[in-house]
């Protein structure tokens, strides 16, 4: 999982570099400071990957423009139960090795307000937006699980479940974009990636391995209740 996450983050490198080049290539002098946020940073060895890419890209752009270094404030965001102890330790080491960089954490859901209006120059998110704000209310109300251990029932309910989660994703993603529009500075950029598939058929591509995982988890959950 760590390798897959890191590979996905590195795929975002050219997109982040392009976004920063656009931000800092207006023809005028560069801004004195920038605020960058990673929304859904998690913890562990990949927690600082995106912000490291951002800082390197900003530094490179300053060198190309022959401008003084821009002060950068980076924020790492995730839900409050994330292991921020590990994240903070990593941030301290990162700040010590990068001049003109200050760091901080911002616990909370990115489906709610996190930053002041117009304060972010660049927001990044890698493989986090598939985590919804909540399970669809219509499924909770009817006590329909996302993955039923009974294969026959699961297949019968598939369209209902997929439709409910698709509507919940649309609602959450729209809210995410609306909040970003408020929190991003004028001309700010959002670079985000999330998993997807080419086919509408759930079992058409890389889902077979997850069938076994989902079955085990469902059985464990049923024993808890």
């Amino acid at each position: 999982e760590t390798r897959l996450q890191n590979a996905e983050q590195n795929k975002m490198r050219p997109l982040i570099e392009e976004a920063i080049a656009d931000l800092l290539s207006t023809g005028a002098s560069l801004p004195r400071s920038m605020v960058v946020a990673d929304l859904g940073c998690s913890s562990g060895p990949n927690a600082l990957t995106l912000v490291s890419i951002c800082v390197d890209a900003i530094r490179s752009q300053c060198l190309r423009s022959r401008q003084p270094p821009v002060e950068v404030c980076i924020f790492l965001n995730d839900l409050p139960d994330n292991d921020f102890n590990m994240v903070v330790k990593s941030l301290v080491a990162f700040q010590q090795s990068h001049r003109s960089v200050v760091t901080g954490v911002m616990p909370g859901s990115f489906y709610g307000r996190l930053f002041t209006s117009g304060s972010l120059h660049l927001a990044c998110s890698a493989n986090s937006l598939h985590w919804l704000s909540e399970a669809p209310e219509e499924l909770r109300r009817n006590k329909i699980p996302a993955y039923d251990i009974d294969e026959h029932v699961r297949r019968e309910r598939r369209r209902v479940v997929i439709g409910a989660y698709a509507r919940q994703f649309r609602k959450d993603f729209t809210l995410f974009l609306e909040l970003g529009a408020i929190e991003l500075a004028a001309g700010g950029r959002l670079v985000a990636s999330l998993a997807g598939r080419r086919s509408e058929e759930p079992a058409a591509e890389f889902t077979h391995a997850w069938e076994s995982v989902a079955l085990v988890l469902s059985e464990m959950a049923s024993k808890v209740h």
Side-chain angles (χ1 to χ4, degrees):
E1 181 182 356
T2 299
R3 290 195 299 270
L4 289 173
Q5 185 184 49
N6 184 254
E8 187 63 31
Q9 289 172 326
N10 280 307
K11 285 181 181 179
M12 295 175 66
R13 182 183 295 275
L15 299 177
I16 292 172
E17 291 174 344
E18 180 181 353
I20 289 173
D22 289 343
L23 273 169
L24 300 181
S25 299
T26 59
S29 59
L30 301 184
R32 294 184 59 185
S33 63
M34 293 180 64
V35 180
V36 176
D38 178 357
L39 305 176
C41 66
S42 190
S43 60
N46 295 326
L48 270 64
T49 300
L50 288 185
V51 293
S52 296
I53 293 172
C54 293
V55 170
D56 289 344
I58 293 170
R59 178 181 295 174
S60 297
Q61 188 64 33
C62 290
L63 289 173
R64 280 194 293 270
S65 304
R66 297 183 180 179
Q67 298 274 4
V70 173
E71 291 184 342
V72 183
C73 176
I74 59 175
F75 284 105
L76 295 186
N77 155 260
D78 213 307
L79 294 174
D81 57 359
N82 187 49
D83 185 3
F84 279 109
N85 288 329
M86 180 180 293
V87 172
V88 169
K89 290 178 182 178
S90 299
L91 280 176
V92 170
F94 183 82
Q95 187 171 347
Q96 290 173 345
S97 62
H98 291 76
R99 297 179 59 187
S100 303
V101 173
V102 295
T103 63
V105 296
M106 184 62 71
S109 170
F110 47 56
Y111 296 124
R113 284 296 300 275
L114 293 170
F115 304 97
T116 55
S117 300
S119 61
L120 290 178
H121 294 90
L122 176 65
C124 302
S125 182
N127 284 337
S128 297
L129 291 169
H130 61 283
W131 295 108
L132 304 180
S133 63
E134 60 180 358
E137 195 276 334
E138 59 195 277
L139 298 186
R140 290 186 283 114
R141 184 177 61 246
N142 295 306
K143 298 182 178 180
I144 298 176
Y147 191 93
D148 200 296
I149 59 176
D150 186 315
E151 183 176 359
H152 178 69
V153 173
R154 184 170 70 249
R155 291 185 180 278
E156 281 190 338
R157 292 175 171 171
R158 174 170 286 176
R159 289 190 178 276
V160 173
V161 171
I162 290 176
Y165 273 93
R167 287 187 290 275
Q168 184 66 46
F169 173 79
R170 188 177 299 112
K171 175 184 175 182
D172 285 347
F173 191 58
T174 299
L175 177 59
F176 175 81
L177 294 177
E178 290 173 347
L179 294 171
I182 295 171
E183 295 175 343
L184 284 170
R189 299 292 193 275
L190 168 66
V191 181
S193 73
L194 64 161
R197 61 172 180 262
R198 297 181 182 88
S199 171
E200 293 184 4
E201 173 55 44
E205 295 190 38
F206 307 108
T207 58
H208 296 294
W210 298 110
E211 290 279 325
S212 300
V213 175
L215 182 59
V216 171
L217 292 175
S218 296
E219 290 178 348
M220 291 172 63
S222 66
K223 291 178 181 177
V224 171
H225 297 294

